[in-house]
Amino acid sequence: VTTRAKLREAVAAERSRGHSIGLVPTMGALHAGHLSLVEAARRECGFTVATIFVNPTQFGPGEDYQRYPRTLDADLAALASVGTDLLFAPPTEVIYRPGATTFVDVGPVAAPLEGQFRPGHFRGVATVVLKLFNLVGADIAYFGRKDYQQSLVIRRMVADLDVPIQVRVCPTVRESDGLALSSRNTYLDATARERALTLSRSLRLAQEVVVSGERRAVAIIERMRRLFADIPSAQIDYIALCDPETLEPVTLVDRVAVALLAVRIGGTRLIDNELIIPPSK
Ligand code: PAF
């Protein structure tokens, strides 16, 4: 469905049958990571709604809004193959009414990392996600851990604004060689794809370095950075070790931290993250 009225009607009908509603918000160009969210929703909820909306307000000037992959036919087939009950794929004007000026600003957890390199990104994400929550009226919403900071931003918003929905954050789905699935992987040619493996390698290295006894964040980050030194055209936006809840940088990995990085490989900006867990003493 593409209109608010049809969406509301379909969801209300399922509610009246006693079904709980699961929501999987996406921007389309679906891959197995998205489908794993649908599968998680189907395990828990009686009726699963996916949304596809390439949200203009979360793209900055010069970013890839225009060229973001739009693959509706393939997405419909993929969603059907995992038993999605309803797809809401509205045009831009259904989501953003002319003259709309209200945005959601989540504050400190949205400020560093992606927030620093993509100013306004999380304002756009939080706004559209709140709108989708309000439009669908789901019980549980599903997001991928690959967008780690996004999941914290959404949890913060839900808590601060008393949004009546539960948020589930599901594991990152990776290719067998470690590459985290992303719609933006379609921009990578074979060489860039090979180079992109350095992101997941650097995360594995961080864990190994911690297991071998190093606890100093600067030293761990330096080891991760060095992996990119030999990669032509790699441009690091950030490599950070942070508190998993607040995203404040840690100086020592003496308890669980999250390693996050954003790197441009041949012009394609990729992000990845993993929890880094020091061995128990
Ligand atoms: O993660 C995404 O695909 C998007 O940021 C989201 C949550 C669908 C909002 O546009």
Side-chain angles (χ1 to χ4, degrees):
V1 299
T2 57
T3 66
R4 296 155 179 265
K6 286 256 185 300
L7 171 68
R8 288 225 167 94
E9 193 186 314
V11 171
E14 292 305 319
R15 276 227 178 278
S16 70
R17 289 186 191 111
H19 285 153
S20 59
I21 313 294
L23 168 64
V24 180
T26 82
M27 297 205 301
L30 301 180
H31 50 65
H34 296 114
L35 302 184
S36 75
L37 302 180
V38 172
E39 282 160 355
R42 276 175 46 84
R43 282 195 292 274
E44 262 189 307
C45 303
F47 189 74
T48 298
V49 181
T51 67
I52 294 182
F53 180 66
V54 184
N55 173 34
T57 65
Q58 69 187 78
F59 290 81
E63 292 189 351
D64 56 346
Y65 173 66
Q66 296 297 345
R67 80 169 180 131
Y68 197 83
R70 287 159 172 89
T71 57
L72 188 59
D73 290 345
D75 291 348
L76 274 167
L79 289 171
S81 76
V82 289
T84 313
D85 294 301
L86 185 76
L87 170 64
F88 178 50
T92 309
E93 59 277 13
V94 165
I95 296 293
Y96 292 109
R97 291 195 171 97
T101 55
T102 306
F103 284 85
V104 179
D105 182 352
V106 172
V109 78
L113 308 170
E114 291 301 286
Q116 185 188 338
F117 284 88
R118 302 185 69 189
H121 170 65
F122 285 126
R123 183 178 185 255
V125 169
T127 302
V128 82
V129 168
L130 182 60
K131 287 169 72 67
L132 293 170
F133 285 178
N134 287 336
L135 286 167
V136 177
D139 299 284
I140 312 180
Y142 298 80
F143 296 89
R145 185 168 298 139
K146 196 195 135 247
D147 293 298
Y148 190 92
Q149 188 175 11
Q150 169 172 282
S151 66
L152 292 185
V153 166
I154 291 165
R155 280 191 192 285
R156 184 80 259 161
M157 173 186 75
V158 164
D160 290 355
L161 300 183
D162 302 308
V163 186
I165 196 164
Q166 293 178 58
V167 174
R168 300 269 191 274
V169 181
C170 303
T172 302
V173 177
R174 297 181 181 280
E175 306 268 14
S176 55
D177 58 9
L179 185 69
L181 296 193
S182 163
S183 305
R184 290 190 170 95
N185 291 352
T186 56
Y187 299 151
L188 302 170
D189 63 20
T191 309
R193 194 199 171 287
E194 177 58 33
R195 291 173 178 166
L197 292 176
T198 315
L199 277 86
S200 53
R201 277 190 196 127
S202 75
L203 293 167
R204 287 200 298 277
L205 176 68
Q207 179 63 50
E208 284 159 23
V209 168
V210 168
V211 167
S212 69
E214 181 61 80
R215 294 288 180 275
R216 294 165 304 152
V218 278
I220 301 160
I221 290 170
E222 179 51 29
R223 293 286 301 276
M224 294 173 75
R225 274 186 182 275
R226 263 191 253 151
L227 281 191
F228 289 95
D230 298 332
I231 309 288
S233 84
Q235 191 191 318
I236 298 171
D237 274 358
Y238 60 81
I239 299 181
L241 277 165
C242 299
D243 178 280
E245 295 299 323
T246 64
L247 289 188
E248 278 166 17
V250 298
T251 48
L252 283 181
V253 182
D254 48 9
R255 59 198 130 92
V256 178
V258 59
L260 308 108
L261 72 167
V263 182
R264 286 168 208 274
I265 304 281
T268 299
R269 189 173 185 281
L270 299 171
I271 60 172
D272 202 351
N273 69 84
E274 278 294 348
L275 292 178
I276 305 298
I277 305 168
S280 42
K281 291 171 193 134

